[in-house]
Amino acid sequence: MATPFNAANAVLPKDMVALNSERGQELLNGSSENVFKNNRMIKRFKAQVNRTFCGPASLALLTNGINVAYRIKLSKLKCSIFEAKKIERQFSKQEDILVDENDIVHIKGLKGFLKGVNIKINGVTMLELSHIASMAGFGVTEYFANCDSVSEEKKEEFKAIIDGGKSKLFQNVEEFRTFCKGVLERGLPQGLICNYNMASLGYDDYGGHHSPIAAYNVNTDQMLVMDVWPDTQPAWVDTELLYKAMCTIDSSSGLPRGLLFVYELL
């Protein structure tokens, strides 16, 4: 479990801007032509509690941000008829329905999968988080960052994943930037979860991590990463630096990190 920590006072790496700072708010509140954002996600931010649950915590935040938490609540393994009717009433009255990381890991059909990947010790890889999102009823596409560091023994597997058609590949930072901007600009029930290496952003002694992207500032070319790690904080990150942090190898899978595009299936 996470220990109490005042993340609002956490020291950020060089060139990152805290969301809760004066400059961070200026970046967020720029003109609508230059800042694309999900205000609902930003207002409902909640850090992860379990130290290996950054994936489920990110999916919960995204779910709350696109206002489809009722789906997760109704799919919970132990959701009674009484609870289901209560959720339906809340939804019909447009009341706020929110989920957290524990709601995500208790989605029907996930118990065996999460035990198999040993989430309480290992966390989850990007592909494993993609599976969790699919089991939650979302459409999801994996976008790997183009990385030259894939080992020889993993190159064939990685090529097969990309050639299979479900997963895609960002060839460069410009493709990543354009895609993220488009998703945030459309404002539909869809969102982005970035899988990156925290050390590449300047956080010493930290490794792989998942967090949603909630905004993009065109003028400064910065992404707002809603960092769910309990000892850090949401911050603006230079797009090129964030992409560099995605262009790293996940030691658990041997594959590059990247981005999950998660969307509601209508």
Side-chain angles (χ1 to χ4, degrees):
M1 300 290 285
T3 54
F5 188 88
N6 187 4
N9 295 326
V11 176
L12 286 171
K14 182 182 177 181
D15 299 326
M16 290 176 61
V17 180
L19 172 62
N20 68 351
S21 68
E22 182 177 351
R23 178 56 179 159
Q25 289 299 301
E26 288 175 356
L27 291 170
L28 181 66
N29 296 318
S31 67
S32 59
E33 294 83 9
N34 295 316
V35 182
F36 304 102
K37 57 192 174 183
N38 183 327
N39 278 318
R40 183 180 174 86
M41 181 185 294
I42 296 167
K43 291 177 180 178
R44 284 154 183 77
F45 173 76
K46 182 179 180 181
Q48 68 191 84
V49 177
N50 295 279
R51 305 296 276 195
T52 59
F53 279 23
C54 60
S58 294
L59 185 57
L61 179 54
L62 184 150
T63 302
N64 294 332
I66 63 176
N67 200 22
V68 292
Y70 68 92
R71 169 183 289 173
I72 307 299
K73 289 288 190 181
L74 289 173
S75 69
K76 281 185 66 176
L77 184 62
K78 297 180 180 180
C79 181
S80 66
I81 295 176
F82 174 78
E83 289 173 316
K85 289 186 177 296
K86 179 181 177 182
I87 293 165
E88 289 172 354
R89 285 196 300 271
Q90 287 178 300
F91 182 73
S92 65
K93 294 179 180 179
Q94 297 184 331
E95 295 177 4
D96 223 7
I97 302 174
L98 302 174
V99 292
D100 60 24
E101 61 197 60
N102 287 315
D103 291 309
I104 298 296
V105 299
H106 286 96
I107 290 170
K108 287 182 180 179
L110 274 182
K111 184 177 180 179
F113 173 77
L114 295 177
K115 183 178 180 180
V117 303
N118 201 1
I119 187 173
K120 292 183 178 180
I121 300 296
N122 302 322
V124 290
T125 66
M126 186 174 75
L127 288 178
E128 290 164 352
L129 183 56
S130 176
H131 177 72
I132 292 171
S134 295
M135 291 295 289
F138 290 108
V140 57
T141 303
E142 308 101 20
Y143 284 81
F144 288 93
N146 192 12
C147 181
D148 296 330
S149 303
V150 179
S151 66
E152 288 297 324
E153 62 184 20
K154 283 288 183 177
K155 283 184 177 178
E156 187 174 341
E157 177 187 342
F158 185 45
K159 184 178 184 300
I161 290 172
I162 299 300
D163 290 347
K166 182 179 181 295
S167 300
K168 301 183 184 299
L169 183 68
F170 287 130
Q171 294 291 348
N172 50 54
V173 65
E174 181 56 38
E175 290 186 359
F176 167 64
R177 177 188 293 112
T178 300
F179 182 78
C180 291
K181 177 177 176 290
V183 171
L184 292 164
E185 186 176 9
R186 287 192 293 270
L188 299 174
Q190 52 192 224
L192 305 165
I193 297 176
C194 190
N195 179 216
Y196 58 99
N197 186 290
M198 293 182 73
S200 296
L201 296 185
Y203 290 106
D204 295 335
D205 303 321
Y206 287 94
H209 191 43
H210 300 280
S211 286
I213 296 174
Y216 174 65
N217 188 300
V218 176
N219 288 341
T220 61
D221 191 27
Q222 290 173 297
M223 303 275 182
L224 176 57
V225 178
M226 301 303 292
D227 189 351
V228 297
W229 185 245
D231 299 349
T232 52
Q233 59 181 309
W236 292 94
V237 184
D238 289 342
T239 299
E240 289 197 13
L241 180 60
L242 183 57
Y243 184 73
K244 180 181 177 182
M246 290 163 50
C247 292
T248 53
I249 299 298
D250 186 325
S251 59
S252 296
S253 66
L255 301 174
R257 296 184 171 90
L259 184 79
L260 289 183
F261 172 45
V262 182
Y263 52 93
E264 186 176 22
L265 293 172
L266 300 177

